[in-house]
Amino acid sequence: MRETAGERWGRRIVLTFLTLFVLVPLYVMVTSAAKPLQDVQNGFTWWPSRPTLQPFVDMWSTVPLARYLVNSLVVSSIAAVCSVAVAIFAAFAVSRYRFRGRGVFSVTVLSTQMFPGILFLLPLFLIYVNLGNATGIELYASRTGLVITYLTFSLPFSIWMLVGYFDSIPRGLDEAAQVDGAGALRTLFQVILPAAVPGVVAVTVYAFMTAWGEVLFASVMTDEGSRTLAVGLQGYSTQFNVYWNQIMAASLVVSIPVVVGFLALQRYFVAGLTAGAVK
């Protein structure tokens, strides 16, 4: 069907509105980061009266931003790697084998996504504190405890995503590998995983972004030494002042690595999310 003039103009108007909806906040963030604090606190202007890069320098000393950045990178990367590693084996077993309790396991994994995260906050907090008192293993206010916390809600969805992707890979590849004498692990690493790269990338990006932007658990399970960026940015708001220009500058700087990585892996991410939808 050919597109009518009305449909064409309607599409243009909607796309223009959506583009402005995305770009205007980004523009305000960039211009606010280039303003002196007094300009930000005064009436809103679309352009800085005195453009300056000083907020990008001051943001590192106002709060320990570098430490927060390292904490976020370490916690998010380890959580993503662990989530993908466990999800690969679990999804392979669910996708390729028929065993007692398979359906119950699949439903249980998916049903965990229905519960709000705050439901697990107090139990995890008590477990960490009591475990530390009983055994000396300090999980509260540590990177290790935060990684385990993020695995509790990123791992189930990662398994579910990879099961759908593995199901879309023809079982004939498994049978061909078995004819050549390959075992289960060799089939997984040499046959399934090379064909499932988009799905693995999609799960990795999902797990990383889930940990990177999480606020609720990070605000309770961390202290000054283990605090992540999502919580650490609150340090720019003090009792006497709010450094809006430094907040905007810090938000831009810490977003650049994530945005660049996401754009570089976008092709695999989209393919991984959509491959399991149509079999």
Side-chain angles (χ1 to χ4, degrees), residues 76-104:
S76 300
S77 299
I78 295 177
V81 171
C82 293
S83 181
V84 170
V86 176
I88 286 174
F89 290 102
F92 178 72
V94 174
S95 174
R96 289 304 195 259
Y97 295 96
R98 298 296 180 266
F99 53 89
R100 180 176 298 179
R102 177 179 178 272
V104 175

PDB file of all heavy atoms in Angstrom, residues 76-104:
ATOM      1  N   SER A  76      29.160  -3.508  38.021  1.00  0.00           N
ATOM      2  CA  SER A  76      28.336  -3.780  36.844  1.00  0.00           C
ATOM      3  C   SER A  76      28.990  -4.820  35.946  1.00  0.00           C
ATOM      4  O   SER A  76      28.305  -5.707  35.412  1.00  0.00           O
ATOM      5  CB  SER A  76      28.086  -2.488  36.064  1.00  0.00           C
ATOM      6  OG  SER A  76      27.423  -1.530  36.856  1.00  0.00           O
ATOM      7  N   SER A  77      30.300  -4.737  35.759  1.00  0.00           N
ATOM      8  CA  SER A  77      30.996  -5.683  34.882  1.00  0.00           C
ATOM      9  C   SER A  77      30.971  -7.089  35.474  1.00  0.00           C
ATOM     10  O   SER A  77      30.671  -8.069  34.764  1.00  0.00           O
ATOM     11  CB  SER A  77      32.442  -5.234  34.667  1.00  0.00           C
ATOM     12  OG  SER A  77      32.494  -3.963  34.057  1.00  0.00           O
ATOM     13  N   ILE A  78      31.270  -7.214  36.760  1.00  0.00           N
ATOM     14  CA  ILE A  78      31.276  -8.543  37.381  1.00  0.00           C
ATOM     15  C   ILE A  78      29.872  -9.126  37.400  1.00  0.00           C
ATOM     16  O   ILE A  78      29.674 -10.326  37.129  1.00  0.00           O
ATOM     17  CB  ILE A  78      31.854  -8.469  38.802  1.00  0.00           C
ATOM     18  CG1 ILE A  78      33.330  -8.057  38.747  1.00  0.00           C
ATOM     19  CG2 ILE A  78      31.714  -9.805  39.520  1.00  0.00           C
ATOM     20  CD1 ILE A  78      33.969  -7.893  40.109  1.00  0.00           C
ATOM     21  N   ALA A  79      28.871  -8.292  37.712  1.00  0.00           N
ATOM     22  CA  ALA A  79      27.488  -8.775  37.729  1.00  0.00           C
ATOM     23  C   ALA A  79      27.064  -9.249  36.344  1.00  0.00           C
ATOM     24  O   ALA A  79      26.386 -10.279  36.205  1.00  0.00           O
ATOM     25  CB  ALA A  79      26.555  -7.675  38.225  1.00  0.00           C
ATOM     26  N   ALA A  80      27.464  -8.519  35.303  1.00  0.00           N
ATOM     27  CA  ALA A  80      27.097  -8.908  33.945  1.00  0.00           C
ATOM     28  C   ALA A  80      27.781 -10.215  33.541  1.00  0.00           C
ATOM     29  O   ALA A  80      27.146 -11.109  32.966  1.00  0.00           O
ATOM     30  CB  ALA A  80      27.468  -7.793  32.965  1.00  0.00           C
ATOM     31  N   VAL A  81      29.070 -10.349  33.839  1.00  0.00           N
ATOM     32  CA  VAL A  81      29.808 -11.558  33.475  1.00  0.00           C
ATOM     33  C   VAL A  81      29.247 -12.777  34.212  1.00  0.00           C
ATOM     34  O   VAL A  81      29.022 -13.839  33.614  1.00  0.00           O
ATOM     35  CB  VAL A  81      31.307 -11.380  33.773  1.00  0.00           C
ATOM     36  CG1 VAL A  81      32.048 -12.707  33.615  1.00  0.00           C
ATOM     37  CG2 VAL A  81      31.910 -10.338  32.851  1.00  0.00           C
ATOM     38  N   CYS A  82      29.015 -12.642  35.520  1.00  0.00           N
ATOM     39  CA  CYS A  82      28.473 -13.761  36.297  1.00  0.00           C
ATOM     40  C   CYS A  82      27.071 -14.135  35.827  1.00  0.00           C
ATOM     41  O   CYS A  82      26.731 -15.322  35.726  1.00  0.00           O
ATOM     42  CB  CYS A  82      28.456 -13.404  37.785  1.00  0.00           C
ATOM     43  SG  CYS A  82      30.085 -13.228  38.539  1.00  0.00           S
ATOM     44  N   SER A  83      26.263 -13.127  35.545  1.00  0.00           N
ATOM     45  CA  SER A  83      24.906 -13.389  35.089  1.00  0.00           C
ATOM     46  C   SER A  83      24.905 -14.139  33.769  1.00  0.00           C
ATOM     47  O   SER A  83      24.158 -15.111  33.587  1.00  0.00           O
ATOM     48  CB  SER A  83      24.136 -12.073  34.958  1.00  0.00           C
ATOM     49  OG  SER A  83      22.813 -12.293  34.531  1.00  0.00           O
ATOM     50  N   VAL A  84      25.753 -13.723  32.842  1.00  0.00           N
ATOM     51  CA  VAL A  84      25.817 -14.376  31.538  1.00  0.00           C
ATOM     52  C   VAL A  84      26.368 -15.789  31.671  1.00  0.00           C
ATOM     53  O   VAL A  84      25.860 -16.733  31.049  1.00  0.00           O
ATOM     54  CB  VAL A  84      26.678 -13.541  30.567  1.00  0.00           C
ATOM     55  CG1 VAL A  84      26.952 -14.319  29.292  1.00  0.00           C
ATOM     56  CG2 VAL A  84      25.994 -12.235  30.243  1.00  0.00           C
ATOM     57  N   ALA A  85      27.410 -15.965  32.487  1.00  0.00           N
ATOM     58  CA  ALA A  85      28.026 -17.288  32.645  1.00  0.00           C
ATOM     59  C   ALA A  85      27.030 -18.308  33.187  1.00  0.00           C
ATOM     60  O   ALA A  85      26.911 -19.432  32.675  1.00  0.00           O
ATOM     61  CB  ALA A  85      29.246 -17.188  33.553  1.00  0.00           C
ATOM     62  N   VAL A  86      26.298 -17.922  34.230  1.00  0.00           N
ATOM     63  CA  VAL A  86      25.319 -18.848  34.810  1.00  0.00           C
ATOM     64  C   VAL A  86      24.139 -19.044  33.870  1.00  0.00           C
ATOM     65  O   VAL A  86      23.630 -20.158  33.696  1.00  0.00           O
ATOM     66  CB  VAL A  86      24.846 -18.326  36.182  1.00  0.00           C
ATOM     67  CG1 VAL A  86      23.758 -19.226  36.752  1.00  0.00           C
ATOM     68  CG2 VAL A  86      26.020 -18.232  37.143  1.00  0.00           C
ATOM     69  N   ALA A  87      23.684 -17.965  33.235  1.00  0.00           N
ATOM     70  CA  ALA A  87      22.516 -18.038  32.362  1.00  0.00           C
ATOM     71  C   ALA A  87      22.773 -18.927  31.154  1.00  0.00           C
ATOM     72  O   ALA A  87      21.859 -19.611  30.674  1.00  0.00           O
ATOM     73  CB  ALA A  87      22.108 -16.639  31.909  1.00  0.00           C
ATOM     74  N   ILE A  88      23.999 -18.946  30.645  1.00  0.00           N
ATOM     75  CA  ILE A  88      24.309 -19.771  29.482  1.00  0.00           C
ATOM     76  C   ILE A  88      24.097 -21.254  29.794  1.00  0.00           C
ATOM     77  O   ILE A  88      23.438 -21.978  29.037  1.00  0.00           O
ATOM     78  CB  ILE A  88      25.754 -19.514  29.018  1.00  0.00           C
ATOM     79  CG1 ILE A  88      25.851 -18.159  28.307  1.00  0.00           C
ATOM     80  CG2 ILE A  88      26.231 -20.622  28.091  1.00  0.00           C
ATOM     81  CD1 ILE A  88      27.266 -17.763  27.939  1.00  0.00           C
ATOM     82  N   PHE A  89      24.634 -21.712  30.912  1.00  0.00           N
ATOM     83  CA  PHE A  89      24.489 -23.127  31.266  1.00  0.00           C
ATOM     84  C   PHE A  89      23.044 -23.475  31.602  1.00  0.00           C
ATOM     85  O   PHE A  89      22.534 -24.527  31.194  1.00  0.00           O
ATOM     86  CB  PHE A  89      25.401 -23.469  32.443  1.00  0.00           C
ATOM     87  CG  PHE A  89      26.861 -23.469  32.095  1.00  0.00           C
ATOM     88  CD1 PHE A  89      27.663 -22.395  32.438  1.00  0.00           C
ATOM     89  CD2 PHE A  89      27.429 -24.529  31.424  1.00  0.00           C
ATOM     90  CE1 PHE A  89      29.015 -22.387  32.117  1.00  0.00           C
ATOM     91  CE2 PHE A  89      28.777 -24.543  31.101  1.00  0.00           C
ATOM     92  CZ  PHE A  89      29.572 -23.458  31.446  1.00  0.00           C
ATOM     93  N   ALA A  90      22.369 -22.586  32.350  1.00  0.00           N
ATOM     94  CA  ALA A  90      20.979 -22.859  32.723  1.00  0.00           C
ATOM     95  C   ALA A  90      20.076 -22.865  31.492  1.00  0.00           C
ATOM     96  O   ALA A  90      19.220 -23.748  31.332  1.00  0.00           O
ATOM     97  CB  ALA A  90      20.500 -21.819  33.726  1.00  0.00           C
ATOM     98  N   ALA A  91      20.260 -21.894  30.604  1.00  0.00           N
ATOM     99  CA  ALA A  91      19.432 -21.815  29.409  1.00  0.00           C
ATOM    100  C   ALA A  91      19.693 -22.990  28.469  1.00  0.00           C
ATOM    101  O   ALA A  91      18.769 -23.506  27.828  1.00  0.00           O
ATOM    102  CB  ALA A  91      19.693 -20.494  28.683  1.00  0.00           C
ATOM    103  N   PHE A  92      20.945 -23.429  28.369  1.00  0.00           N
ATOM    104  CA  PHE A  92      21.261 -24.585  27.527  1.00  0.00           C
ATOM    105  C   PHE A  92      20.568 -25.845  28.046  1.00  0.00           C
ATOM    106  O   PHE A  92      20.029 -26.637  27.261  1.00  0.00           O
ATOM    107  CB  PHE A  92      22.776 -24.790  27.491  1.00  0.00           C
ATOM    108  CG  PHE A  92      23.211 -25.980  26.683  1.00  0.00           C
ATOM    109  CD1 PHE A  92      23.128 -25.965  25.302  1.00  0.00           C
ATOM    110  CD2 PHE A  92      23.702 -27.107  27.306  1.00  0.00           C
ATOM    111  CE1 PHE A  92      23.527 -27.068  24.547  1.00  0.00           C
ATOM    112  CE2 PHE A  92      24.109 -28.205  26.575  1.00  0.00           C
ATOM    113  CZ  PHE A  92      24.019 -28.183  25.185  1.00  0.00           C
ATOM    114  N   ALA A  93      20.567 -26.022  29.366  1.00  0.00           N
ATOM    115  CA  ALA A  93      19.909 -27.202  29.944  1.00  0.00           C
ATOM    116  C   ALA A  93      18.407 -27.160  29.714  1.00  0.00           C
ATOM    117  O   ALA A  93      17.793 -28.168  29.338  1.00  0.00           O
ATOM    118  CB  ALA A  93      20.218 -27.282  31.439  1.00  0.00           C
ATOM    119  N   VAL A  94      17.794 -25.995  29.911  1.00  0.00           N
ATOM    120  CA  VAL A  94      16.341 -25.879  29.740  1.00  0.00           C
ATOM    121  C   VAL A  94      15.949 -26.023  28.274  1.00  0.00           C
ATOM    122  O   VAL A  94      14.922 -26.623  27.936  1.00  0.00           O
ATOM    123  CB  VAL A  94      15.847 -24.538  30.301  1.00  0.00           C
ATOM    124  CG1 VAL A  94      14.359 -24.319  29.998  1.00  0.00           C
ATOM    125  CG2 VAL A  94      16.077 -24.472  31.807  1.00  0.00           C
ATOM    126  N   SER A  95      16.775 -25.498  27.378  1.00  0.00           N
ATOM    127  CA  SER A  95      16.436 -25.503  25.958  1.00  0.00           C
ATOM    128  C   SER A  95      16.656 -26.860  25.307  1.00  0.00           C
ATOM    129  O   SER A  95      15.865 -27.277  24.446  1.00  0.00           O
ATOM    130  CB  SER A  95      17.263 -24.448  25.227  1.00  0.00           C
ATOM    131  OG  SER A  95      17.059 -24.510  23.828  1.00  0.00           O
ATOM    132  N   ARG A  96      17.706 -27.568  25.724  1.00  0.00           N
ATOM    133  CA  ARG A  96      18.094 -28.774  24.992  1.00  0.00           C
ATOM    134  C   ARG A  96      17.743 -30.085  25.694  1.00  0.00           C
ATOM    135  O   ARG A  96      17.841 -31.138  25.088  1.00  0.00           O
ATOM    136  CB  ARG A  96      19.603 -28.739  24.727  1.00  0.00           C
ATOM    137  CG  ARG A  96      20.016 -27.697  23.675  1.00  0.00           C
ATOM    138  CD  ARG A  96      19.268 -27.932  22.378  1.00  0.00           C
ATOM    139  NE  ARG A  96      19.840 -27.231  21.253  1.00  0.00           N
ATOM    140  CZ  ARG A  96      19.365 -26.106  20.746  1.00  0.00           C
ATOM    141  NH1 ARG A  96      18.312 -25.524  21.299  1.00  0.00           N
ATOM    142  NH2 ARG A  96      19.918 -25.542  19.691  1.00  0.00           N
ATOM    143  N   TYR A  97      17.348 -30.036  26.952  1.00  0.00           N
ATOM    144  CA  TYR A  97      17.076 -31.265  27.685  1.00  0.00           C
ATOM    145  C   TYR A  97      15.662 -31.250  28.247  1.00  0.00           C
ATOM    146  O   TYR A  97      15.105 -30.200  28.558  1.00  0.00           O
ATOM    147  CB  TYR A  97      18.080 -31.463  28.826  1.00  0.00           C
ATOM    148  CG  TYR A  97      19.500 -31.682  28.349  1.00  0.00           C
ATOM    149  CD1 TYR A  97      20.396 -30.615  28.271  1.00  0.00           C
ATOM    150  CD2 TYR A  97      19.929 -32.941  27.964  1.00  0.00           C
ATOM    151  CE1 TYR A  97      21.690 -30.806  27.825  1.00  0.00           C
ATOM    152  CE2 TYR A  97      21.229 -33.144  27.520  1.00  0.00           C
ATOM    153  CZ  TYR A  97      22.108 -32.076  27.450  1.00  0.00           C
ATOM    154  OH  TYR A  97      23.387 -32.269  26.999  1.00  0.00           O
ATOM    155  N   ARG A  98      15.085 -32.433  28.363  1.00  0.00           N
ATOM    156  CA  ARG A  98      13.778 -32.609  28.985  1.00  0.00           C
ATOM    157  C   ARG A  98      13.975 -33.351  30.303  1.00  0.00           C
ATOM    158  O   ARG A  98      14.403 -34.496  30.311  1.00  0.00           O
ATOM    159  CB  ARG A  98      12.846 -33.408  28.058  1.00  0.00           C
ATOM    160  CG  ARG A  98      12.555 -32.723  26.728  1.00  0.00           C
ATOM    161  CD  ARG A  98      11.796 -31.420  26.945  1.00  0.00           C
ATOM    162  NE  ARG A  98      11.504 -30.745  25.673  1.00  0.00           N
ATOM    163  CZ  ARG A  98      12.267 -29.805  25.147  1.00  0.00           C
ATOM    164  NH1 ARG A  98      13.381 -29.435  25.784  1.00  0.00           N
ATOM    165  NH2 ARG A  98      11.947 -29.243  24.018  1.00  0.00           N
ATOM    166  N   PHE A  99      13.695 -32.694  31.398  1.00  0.00           N
ATOM    167  CA  PHE A  99      13.907 -33.288  32.710  1.00  0.00           C
ATOM    168  C   PHE A  99      12.729 -32.956  33.613  1.00  0.00           C
ATOM    169  O   PHE A  99      11.971 -32.015  33.346  1.00  0.00           O
ATOM    170  CB  PHE A  99      15.217 -32.784  33.337  1.00  0.00           C
ATOM    171  CG  PHE A  99      15.342 -31.281  33.371  1.00  0.00           C
ATOM    172  CD1 PHE A  99      14.857 -30.539  34.441  1.00  0.00           C
ATOM    173  CD2 PHE A  99      15.946 -30.602  32.311  1.00  0.00           C
ATOM    174  CE1 PHE A  99      14.979 -29.165  34.466  1.00  0.00           C
ATOM    175  CE2 PHE A  99      16.066 -29.214  32.330  1.00  0.00           C
ATOM    176  CZ  PHE A  99      15.590 -28.505  33.410  1.00  0.00           C
ATOM    177  N   ARG A 100      12.594 -33.728  34.668  1.00  0.00           N
ATOM    178  CA  ARG A 100      11.489 -33.525  35.596  1.00  0.00           C
ATOM    179  C   ARG A 100      11.633 -32.166  36.304  1.00  0.00           C
ATOM    180  O   ARG A 100      12.690 -31.842  36.837  1.00  0.00           O
ATOM    181  CB  ARG A 100      11.469 -34.636  36.642  1.00  0.00           C
ATOM    182  CG  ARG A 100      10.340 -34.521  37.660  1.00  0.00           C
ATOM    183  CD  ARG A 100      10.328 -35.697  38.603  1.00  0.00           C
ATOM    184  NE  ARG A 100      10.084 -36.953  37.884  1.00  0.00           N
ATOM    185  CZ  ARG A 100      10.047 -38.152  38.476  1.00  0.00           C
ATOM    186  NH1 ARG A 100      10.240 -38.232  39.793  1.00  0.00           N
ATOM    187  NH2 ARG A 100       9.820 -39.233  37.756  1.00  0.00           N
ATOM    188  N   GLY A 101      10.569 -31.400  36.299  1.00  0.00           N
ATOM    189  CA  GLY A 101      10.589 -30.074  36.917  1.00  0.00           C
ATOM    190  C   GLY A 101      11.020 -28.974  35.972  1.00  0.00           C
ATOM    191  O   GLY A 101      11.176 -27.829  36.401  1.00  0.00           O
ATOM    192  N   ARG A 102      11.202 -29.311  34.695  1.00  0.00           N
ATOM    193  CA  ARG A 102      11.636 -28.300  33.731  1.00  0.00           C
ATOM    194  C   ARG A 102      10.623 -27.173  33.617  1.00  0.00           C
ATOM    195  O   ARG A 102      10.974 -25.984  33.625  1.00  0.00           O
ATOM    196  CB  ARG A 102      11.860 -28.947  32.367  1.00  0.00           C
ATOM    197  CG  ARG A 102      12.242 -27.987  31.252  1.00  0.00           C
ATOM    198  CD  ARG A 102      12.473 -28.743  29.951  1.00  0.00           C
ATOM    199  NE  ARG A 102      12.785 -27.831  28.860  1.00  0.00           N
ATOM    200  CZ  ARG A 102      11.873 -27.242  28.085  1.00  0.00           C
ATOM    201  NH1 ARG A 102      10.567 -27.502  28.300  1.00  0.00           N
ATOM    202  NH2 ARG A 102      12.229 -26.429  27.116  1.00  0.00           N
ATOM    203  N   GLY A 103       9.331 -27.533  33.505  1.00  0.00           N
ATOM    204  CA  GLY A 103       8.300 -26.509  33.383  1.00  0.00           C
ATOM    205  C   GLY A 103       8.183 -25.664  34.634  1.00  0.00           C
ATOM    206  O   GLY A 103       8.018 -24.433  34.551  1.00  0.00           O
ATOM    207  N   VAL A 104       8.282 -26.301  35.795  1.00  0.00           N
ATOM    208  CA  VAL A 104       8.200 -25.556  37.058  1.00  0.00           C
ATOM    209  C   VAL A 104       9.376 -24.582  37.174  1.00  0.00           C
ATOM    210  O   VAL A 104       9.216 -23.435  37.605  1.00  0.00           O
ATOM    211  CB  VAL A 104       8.188 -26.535  38.249  1.00  0.00           C
ATOM    212  CG1 VAL A 104       8.225 -25.773  39.574  1.00  0.00           C
ATOM    213  CG2 VAL A 104       6.960 -27.425  38.181  1.00  0.00           C
TER     214      VAL A 104
END
